Amino acid sequence: MKIIETYNLTKIYSSLRRKSSVHALSELNLSVEEGTIFGLLGPNGAGKTTLIKILLSITYPTSGSAKILNEELSNYLVKSKIGYLPENHKYPPYLKGGEVLEFFGKLSGITGVSLKKKIDELLEMVKLTKWKKAKVKNYSKGMMQRLGLAQALINDPELIFLDEPTDGVDPIGRKEIRDILLDLKSRSKTIFLNSHLLSEVELITDRVGILNKGKLLREGAVKELTEKGEEYKITVEGGSLDEITKEFISTIVITNTGNNIYSVKVSNMDDLNKLLDLLRKNGIIIREMVKQKQSLEDMFISLIKESEKGNA
Amino acid sequence: MKNILIMMWFTLREALARKVFIFFIVISSLVILGMLLILTSKSTTVIIQTFGKSGQAIGYTQVIHALELIIVSPLSGLCILLAIFASSSFVPIMLEKGNIDLLLSKPVSRIQLLLGKYFGGVLVVFLNIIFLIIGVWLLISIKFSFWDFSFLWIIVIVTFTFAVLYSLIVLFGVMTQSSIFGMMIAYFIFIILSPLLVLIKDKFIVFLQNGFLKDIIIGLYYIVPQTAELMGETVSNLTVGKGIIDFQPILTSSAFLIITLALSVYLFVKKDF
């Protein structure tokens, strides 16, 4: 089931003073499946936060429409099933950690014993139990993020929006947040994640979308997006590929990367098998053969550069 | 309704945390203590009893009413001035980036959020005024065994006057996300414009030759919240036990409050954050 769907979603910010307008989102069509972790990537100003804000009716679209949990955005009651951790969130500084959760829990419709139980459970989960009675003005950035995550989960949401959840969190804290997200996924929660930390996104997301200047450049499973076609790294012993593969030159691209390691790009599996047969025939031992992938970061950077060139 | 009450409760918490509430209570307590000292002094008792016994020109009741008026009028005005200052930042703080995003992500309508904040602000001032007026009333009533319950209507009038001005502060808060404009305009109306319009209408309008100018002044008199009338004539009449004689300032100010609040809600509902 699709839990988020957008149809030609467009947001234009107009400035009367400057007589100019900024296209934060341009005819965005996107869908997110239930029970998945979806990562939205993009450089600063790409429109990632605007998209979340529109989906939560914090900002309104200029045109287009969207559905969330199969409901129109205008139905604010659907937010009882949604959790949100905004970027640079602020809590009233006079409240204590537990009171912040109490306030947002009450606004989410939870009261009484179940709220108290949930508060203790979540503070335990984000390791802030000892800080329950400390005022949030004394919290560090990392602690604020962890409290923010607890706040986003106070209503046991089906869909969770996280905007830069690991911002300001140390590596151990990040790992803990990743584990929490994976645990939520195992409980069939859907997570929509905005992050700059591509290596982290790569570790936990099922699908990613890449946004630049309000346009969705690419969307798909992380595995699909990071595969480099039929490219292999082959480590050999007892000979060189340089001489014996000349006859394949038109169909196979081989690059010697040193230390008997070769990068091999083939156009089809037949060519690859022919190459392997040839190596064996020439007494060359194949020590290792690995299908090549590019990191999400590499793919992201090249995609954004391509897009910038296209726009220029 | 539940969400409005939650917002009101947390606005009260905000006021408490920002020492607004405590500041009010301290000022009111000082006033009440001061009164206690004055009223228990022998000279005050003698003066009032003398007036009371003379019984012809000025009666005992009138003296007590006059005493109430002397105390309540400036205090109510001071109360409003402090309340405007203290409450002007409630809405702008709620609209700060990072704060409003969280509130709007909850299953609460924008109307409930803003009304909760509005009524929360009014509640803070209402509780303070209750403390002050009931304190003064109890002192006078106990001291002189004179229980004038209509005096307590002042609580309603002063709170209402504040509610009218606060609706304007909320409107400017929503429009500008700043507390300064709303606060300045509320002060301008309360201290300058409303008293000036009353003065012109009552004393100088007969001297005006230009009919158009007359119409503008009369129009402004009815459009601008009549805080001078409310805090002046209405409070005075209530203090001296006459009750509310003229309902027009209440009605026109109510209309202003409703329109201003409705406009604030409309702008807040339409606003992008």
Side-chain angles (χ1 to χ4, degrees):
Chain A
M1 185 189 134
K2 286 185 173 64
I3 213 154
I4 298 172
E5 288 172 282
T6 72
Y7 313 97
N8 298 319
L9 208 57
T10 301
K11 177 69 187 175
I12 302 167
Y13 288 107
S14 302
S15 168
L16 287 173
R17 204 182 297 165
R18 290 183 209 157
K19 290 180 184 171
S20 63
S21 59
V22 175
H23 282 66
L25 289 179
S26 296
E27 301 191 335
L28 184 80
N29 291 298
L30 182 76
S31 62
V32 177
E33 286 288 330
E34 189 181 7
T36 58
I37 301 184
F38 184 90
L40 190 62
L41 313 174
N44 290 335
K48 306 186 298 289
T49 301
T50 301
L51 176 61
I52 293 186
K53 283 187 169 189
I54 288 176
L55 293 173
L56 289 167
S57 298
I58 296 168
T59 290
Y60 300 111
T62 307
S63 64
S65 62
K67 276 188 170 185
I68 198 162
L69 293 156
N70 230 8
E71 296 280 349
E72 297 296 329
L73 299 182
S74 54
N75 179 7
Y76 70 87
L77 293 173
V78 75
K79 293 179 195 170
S80 61
K81 298 174 192 166
I82 297 171
Y84 176 42
L85 168 63
E87 191 182 14
N88 303 322
H89 50 287
K90 262 189 196 168
Y91 301 118
Y94 52 86
L95 290 182
K96 295 166 185 162
E99 289 172 341
V100 166
L101 298 186
E102 185 196 336
F103 175 50
F104 289 107
K106 281 182 175 170
L107 282 181
S108 302
I110 312 161
T111 49
V113 183
S114 57
L115 178 60
K116 279 184 181 165
K117 206 178 143 193
K118 192 77 190 168
I119 289 170
D120 289 339
E121 229 176 80
L122 287 169
L123 287 174
E124 177 73 37
M125 187 182 84
V126 297
K127 297 193 166 55
L128 285 176
T129 305
K130 282 182 191 166
W131 292 81
K132 183 182 176 182
K133 290 182 179 169
K135 287 193 174 168
V136 290
K137 66 179 176 190
N138 298 321
Y139 279 31
S140 68
K141 181 89 197 282
M143 286 162 74
M144 285 291 274
Q145 284 300 103
R146 284 189 274 149
L147 183 67
L149 186 60
Q151 170 279 129
L153 302 175
I154 191 75
N155 52 336
D156 196 18
E158 290 175 28
L159 170 62
I160 305 144
F161 289 100
L162 304 172
D163 203 349
E164 304 292 348
T166 53
D167 195 19
V169 182
D170 61 38
I172 298 167
R174 279 185 207 166
K175 166 82 171 64
E176 285 165 359
I177 289 178
R178 276 204 308 268
D179 291 343
I180 291 169
L181 300 187
L182 290 170
D183 175 56
L184 289 168
K185 190 194 160 194
S186 73
R187 289 194 274 140
S188 303
K189 309 284 183 193
T190 310
I191 298 165
F192 190 102
L193 182 69
N194 274 1
S195 180
H196 285 117
L197 295 169
L198 303 185
S199 54
E200 277 189 18
V201 171
E202 195 170 3
L203 285 172
I204 55 169
T205 51
D206 299 299
R207 292 181 78 81
V208 292
I210 295 175
L211 202 63
N212 191 28
K213 293 183 177 167
K215 287 181 181 161
L216 189 66
L217 301 180
R218 195 167 292 177
E219 194 246 320
V222 176
K223 206 180 156 192
E224 286 165 25
L225 296 178
T226 52
E227 263 180 6
K228 292 176 84 177
E230 295 301 318
E231 188 176 335
Y232 297 85
K233 188 177 88 177
I234 300 177
T235 310
V236 297
E237 208 179 284
S240 159
L241 267 70
D242 297 330
E243 288 301 313
I244 61 162
T245 55
K246 273 183 181 165
E247 59 185 276
F248 282 103
I249 251 155
S250 59
T251 52
I252 298 182
V253 180
I254 298 175
T255 314
N256 187 346
T257 57
N259 294 328
N260 288 333
I261 300 168
Y262 296 85
S263 166
V264 177
K265 278 184 190 171
V266 293
S267 52
N268 57 61
M269 291 306 286
D270 281 350
D271 281 354
L272 183 66
N273 280 316
K274 275 184 198 169
L275 175 69
L276 296 177
D277 290 344
L278 192 67
L279 293 180
R280 286 192 196 101
K281 207 170 131 185
N282 286 277
I284 296 170
I285 299 162
I286 302 160
R287 304 288 303 176
E288 191 183 32
M289 191 171 94
V290 182
K291 190 166 186 192
Q292 287 299 87
K293 277 173 80 178
Q294 61 182 340
S295 69
L296 192 59
E297 191 168 87
D298 293 337
M299 187 274 296
F300 173 80
I301 291 168
S302 66
L303 198 62
I304 296 295
K305 276 185 182 167
E306 261 175 49
S307 145
E308 298 291 333
K309 271 185 203 166
N311 286 335
Chain B
M1 187 63 193
K2 202 178 81 183
N3 291 329
I4 292 179
L5 290 175
I6 295 168
M7 287 304 292
M8 284 173 73
W9 169 245
F10 276 88
T11 306
L12 200 61
R13 288 286 314 272
E14 188 179 337
L16 272 172
R18 288 166 54 210
K19 316 282 187 258
V20 172
F21 200 85
I22 292 159
F23 181 67
F24 266 135
I25 297 288
V26 168
I27 296 260
S28 304
S29 302
L30 286 175
V31 167
I32 292 165
L33 272 174
M35 269 190 63
L36 191 67
L37 287 173
I38 294 167
L39 291 176
T40 48
S41 71
K42 275 187 180 175
S43 51
T44 310
T45 314
V46 170
I47 291 167
I48 289 170
Q49 278 173 353
T50 311
F51 274 118
K53 277 171 190 165
S54 69
Q56 286 120 36
I58 311 167
Y60 186 70
T61 313
Q62 283 164 301
V63 172
I64 294 167
H65 281 321
L67 183 69
E68 285 175 337
L69 194 61
I70 289 166
I71 297 161
V72 163
S73 285
L75 271 184
S76 311
L78 181 69
C79 215
I80 297 273
L81 290 176
L82 287 173
I84 290 170
F85 177 75
S87 59
S88 60
S89 60
F90 285 154
V91 170
I93 285 176
M94 180 181 82
L95 302 184
E96 276 178 6
K97 202 173 159 60
N99 199 0
I100 189 69
D101 304 56
L102 278 170
L103 291 170
L104 292 178
S105 73
K106 301 298 166 196
V108 184
S109 74
R110 291 189 179 206
I111 299 171
Q112 289 171 333
L113 280 178
L114 194 68
L115 289 183
K117 211 69 190 170
Y118 173 76
F119 288 118
V122 174
L123 177 69
V124 172
V125 174
F126 177 65
L127 293 176
N128 281 291
I129 291 166
I130 280 185
F131 181 78
L132 176 70
I133 301 291
I134 289 190
V136 171
W137 177 72
L138 275 177
L139 267 180
I140 291 172
S141 302
I142 294 166
K143 172 72 187 169
F144 303 108
S145 299
F146 179 76
W147 298 87
D148 176 15
F149 286 91
S150 66
F151 180 77
L152 297 177
W153 276 102
I154 292 170
I155 295 170
V156 179
I157 295 298
V158 177
T159 309
F160 172 71
T161 307
F162 168 74
V164 174
L165 292 169
Y166 188 44
S167 68
L168 202 62
I169 293 172
V170 169
L171 175 66
F172 278 90
V174 170
M175 287 197 304
T176 63
Q177 288 177 234
S178 154
S179 57
I180 299 191
F181 288 103
M183 193 167 69
M184 282 172 67
I185 286 173
Y187 277 140
F188 175 68
I189 289 174
F190 187 67
I191 300 169
I192 299 169
L193 190 58
S194 180
L196 190 68
L197 285 169
V198 173
L199 188 73
I200 295 172
K201 183 185 159 281
D202 290 349
K203 309 278 181 197
F204 300 109
I205 201 138
V206 286
F207 303 114
L208 283 177
Q209 302 296 318
N210 188 328
F212 179 67
L213 195 61
K214 265 187 188 176
D215 290 343
I216 286 182
I217 288 168
I218 296 292
L220 268 177
Y221 173 78
Y222 287 108
I223 290 167
V224 172
Q226 294 177 19
T227 54
E229 302 272 33
L230 289 168
M231 296 298 290
E233 205 180 318
T234 310
V235 167
S236 300
N237 286 335
L238 283 168
T239 312
V240 297
K242 287 184 186 168
I244 298 168
I245 295 165
D246 185 8
F247 279 90
Q248 178 264 314
I250 297 175
L251 292 174
T252 50
S253 300
S254 298
F256 181 88
L257 186 158
I258 292 165
I259 292 167
T260 313
L261 205 55
L263 188 60
S264 308
V265 167
Y266 174 79
L267 292 175
F268 183 59
V269 167
K270 294 280 172 197
K271 202 174 174 84
D272 273 342
F273 291 99

